[in-house]
Amino acid sequence: MAYDEGLANRLRKSLKGNLDINEKKMFGGLAFMCRGHMFVGIIGNDLMARVGPDNYVEVLKQPHIREMDFTGKPMKGYVYIAPETLASDNQLAKWVNMCLKFVDTLPLKK
């Protein structure tokens, strides 16, 4: 499955200068990692966002957001965000920052 290269470039731009970030091709898409933890990614045209368990229920109430069910089972704390919700750089930054804030609470992965 291909991923939206335009969205990937927007993510790269928003994360520029953050030395803790690297990207990895996974799941037929692209994942961005922080300190070893996946926090956002792109599957097709959707942003995969690791919002964490505390934000999960509230985030799912918003339009154009659905649970991440990549394996056929919902993954708690992860959602798919449709392109309609990512039209501006500010909207994208809101999601990226929420996900980074969550993974900052996790222990460093080796």
Side-chain angles (χ1 to χ4, degrees):
M1 169 183 276
Y3 58 87
D4 182 338
E5 190 61 48
L7 181 55
N9 287 331
R10 289 176 61 207
L11 279 169
R12 289 178 189 116
K13 182 180 173 186
S14 75
L15 296 166
K16 189 175 182 177
N18 189 330
L19 301 179
D20 291 333
I21 306 296
N22 62 330
E23 58 183 83
K24 197 182 239 187
K25 290 188 178 185
M26 341 175 41
F27 312 122
L30 184 66
F32 288 82
M33 316 289 281
C34 179
R35 298 174 29 252
H37 297 281
M38 180 170 60
F39 70 101
V40 293
I42 307 166
I43 303 291
N45 293 325
D46 292 331
L47 180 73
M48 180 284 301
R50 187 174 188 182
V51 297
D54 293 343
N55 294 319
Y56 185 68
V57 172
E58 284 303 310
V59 165
L60 281 173
K61 294 177 183 177
Q62 298 179 42
H64 308 293
I65 297 176
R66 68 187 195 286
E67 57 192 7
M68 183 176 164
D69 57 355
F70 184 78
T71 62
K73 289 174 52 178
M75 294 178 65
K76 292 282 187 194
Y78 292 83
V79 296
Y80 286 132
I81 302 171
E84 296 88 340
T85 305
L86 305 168
S88 75
D89 290 342
N90 286 338
Q91 288 171 310
L92 179 61
K94 175 189 120 179
W95 293 108
V96 168
N97 290 333
M98 179 187 293
C99 297
L100 279 172
K101 185 175 178 182
F102 171 70
V103 297
D104 277 345
T105 68
L106 302 174
L108 179 66
K109 262 192 172 177
K110 294 182 181 180

